[in-house]
Amino acid sequence: MKVLLINGSPRRKGNTFTALSEVEKQLEKNGIEAEIVQIGAKPVRGCVACGQCKSKGLGKCVFDDDICNQVAAKMAESDALIVGSPVYYGQPNGLVLSLMQRLFYSAGETVTNKPAAAICVCRRGGATAAFQTLNMPFQMMNMPVVTSQYWNIVYGAAEGQAALDTEGMQTMRTLADNMAWMLKKIHAAGKTDYPEREPWQMMNFVR
């Protein structure tokens, strides 16, 4: 069993990495493999609604000049997803939003039914709004959302300060324990035990 953790911060060793590293260590204590992938500071395309990923049956984004398809390939080999982001103006980093939107649309089969969680790191405020934003796509993809003892929020400004947020670090460890527990339950039941779902009935309000 493996969990893919996405570091949505341009800072390689910043506070988002600190929070994700706490989760990673606790997952490994539970016997779960974990990998942190950083999106970095290079541009990540936003979705341009070209639809070629669907019309051509690519299973990935038609644009292959950033990290999106690399993450899709890693997600195909993973059993769960955790997305971490710093908070900018009460929102997640725009790069991580672009990544998630393209990943979920072009390669949705790599995430469907897999447990997921979001983590937000902020200096002072805006984390709950950013946290809600990151969680919204999980529910559209039938991904069980893994909880913790509190919202998955860690506080810190200067690099490394997140480690001083003792409750935040405990929340990360509890999240990891809950993720490991859910993965083991799913693994024991077998992936064929997912609910049988009705075909999607899309309806537009303007006809």
Side-chain angles (χ1 to χ4, degrees):
M1 290 172 283
K2 179 179 178 180
V3 179
L4 182 66
L5 301 97
I6 296 177
N7 179 2
S9 171
R11 294 187 171 90
R12 186 169 296 278
K13 299 291 184 180
N15 288 314
T16 304
F17 175 79
T18 300
L20 290 170
S21 295
E22 194 73 8
V23 177
E24 179 187 37
K25 288 184 289 185
Q26 194 68 17
L27 283 169
E28 290 174 348
K29 286 182 181 178
N30 281 280
I32 306 293
E33 183 183 353
E35 179 184 4
I36 298 176
V37 174
Q38 194 211 12
I39 62 172
K42 294 181 179 179
V44 177
R45 287 176 176 266
C47 180
V48 297
C50 68
Q52 292 191 59
C53 58
K54 299 296 186 185
S55 63
K56 294 183 178 180
L58 299 175
K60 63 178 183 178
C61 184
V62 70
F63 296 107
D64 202 17
D65 55 358
D66 61 20
I67 198 173
C68 182
N69 288 335
Q70 299 171 40
V71 172
K74 288 180 179 292
M75 195 63 232
E77 302 299 322
S78 301
D79 301 287
L81 174 66
I82 296 177
V83 180
S85 176
V87 175
Y88 297 155
Y89 298 96
Q91 301 171 320
N93 181 2
L95 296 181
V96 79
L97 288 179
S98 293
L99 172 63
M100 288 180 70
Q101 289 166 6
R102 283 172 57 220
L103 171 69
F104 282 33
Y105 188 73
S106 66
E109 69 281 356
T110 68
V111 298
T112 300
N113 293 320
K114 296 179 180 179
I119 294 170
C120 286
V121 180
C122 71
R123 180 190 68 84
R124 185 172 177 85
T128 52
F131 181 66
Q132 181 179 1
T133 298
L134 286 177
N135 274 286
M136 295 286 275
F138 301 151
Q139 297 182 49
M140 290 186 68
M141 302 304 292
N142 284 295
M143 303 174 76
V145 177
V146 181
T147 60
S148 186
Q149 64 186 17
Y150 198 77
W151 300 302
N152 303 324
I153 295 168
V154 177
Y155 292 89
E159 186 174 305
Q161 280 187 345
L164 303 177
D165 179 3
T166 55
E167 184 177 349
M169 291 295 100
Q170 186 182 60
T171 300
M172 297 299 99
R173 294 191 297 273
T174 303
L175 169 62
D177 289 339
N178 289 348
M179 175 67 83
W181 176 84
M182 184 177 289
L183 282 175
K184 290 174 182 178
K185 294 293 185 182
I186 292 172
H187 184 76
K191 293 183 179 180
T192 57
D193 197 46
Y194 292 131
E196 183 176 344
R197 299 190 178 99
E198 298 179 15
W200 183 31
Q201 298 183 42
M202 185 174 69
M203 176 182 174
N204 299 327
F205 288 104
V206 179
R207 290 181 178 270

